[in-house]
Amino acid sequence: QVQLVESGGGSVQAGGSLSLSCAASGYTDSPFYIMGWFRQAPGKEREGVASTNIDGYTRYADSVKGRFTISKDNAKITLSLQMNSLKPEDTAMYYCAADWRRYGGDWFSTMRYNYWGQGTQVTVSS
C-alpha cells in the first residue's frame, strides 16, 4: 500500500523560509507520473500550490510563483517544497499528492491525484 508522509512544517515569521518534504513508501517499480503539493486553510477549499511530472516539468500557482520551488528526487522517491518569503496568507495544512496515471489534465485538481499524505501544518505570523 502506497503511503505519502510529509514533514518539515512549522511556525515562522513573515518573510521567513520553510522546507517541506514528502517521502513515499510501499512503492512499486513504476515511478509516479505526477506529484504535487496542495494546501488547505481553515474554511477554504484545498488548492494546488506546485506540481511536477516525470519529465521534470513544473507548474506553480500564481500566488507562490517566484517564492516556492518544487523538486523531486526520483532515486529516493521524495518530493520537496522550498518556501521562501512566506506570507501570513500561506498559512495552511500542506499536503503531498501523487498519481501514476499518464495523462495531462488539470495538475491543480484534487481529482488528478490518487494518493495523498496526511498533511503538515505551516503557520506564518505577521
Side-chain angles (χ1 to χ4, degrees), residues 53-79:
N53 74 353
I54 196 170
D55 297 318
Y57 290 105
T58 59
R59 294 182 185 175
Y60 295 91
D62 289 342
S63 59
V64 307
K65 281 181 181 177
R67 300 188 298 122
F68 291 10
T69 303
I70 189 171
S71 60
K72 181 162 58 74
D73 184 329
N74 289 325
K76 296 181 179 179
I77 316 171
T78 59
L79 184 72

Side-chain angles (χ1 to χ4, degrees), residues 18-96:
L18 282 174
S19 182
L20 306 183
S21 293
C22 171
S25 62
Y27 208 61
T28 71
D29 291 335
S30 301
F32 289 122
Y33 176 75
I34 188 170
M35 297 187 75
W37 289 98
F38 284 71
R39 67 186 181 188
Q40 188 168 18
K44 294 187 176 182
E45 292 186 355
R46 192 169 297 190
E47 63 176 1
V49 175
S51 293
T52 183
N53 74 353
I54 196 170
D55 297 318
Y57 290 105
T58 59
R59 294 182 185 175
Y60 295 91
D62 289 342
S63 59
V64 307
K65 281 181 181 177
R67 300 188 298 122
F68 291 10
T69 303
I70 189 171
S71 60
K72 181 162 58 74
D73 184 329
N74 289 325
K76 296 181 179 179
I77 316 171
T78 59
L79 184 72
S80 300
L81 185 68
Q82 177 65 40
M83 305 184 294
N84 299 326
S85 302
L86 283 162
K87 305 175 181 180
E89 51 263 45
D90 294 319
T91 296
M93 185 72 78
Y94 282 70
Y95 298 90
C96 173

Side-chain angles (χ1 to χ4, degrees), residues 102-122:
R102 290 180 167 265
Y103 71 96
D106 181 356
W107 286 22
F108 288 158
S109 169
T110 57
M111 300 299 292
R112 181 62 184 84
Y113 300 83
N114 268 337
Y115 300 101
W116 292 85
Q118 293 300 305
T120 184
Q121 178 67 38
V122 171

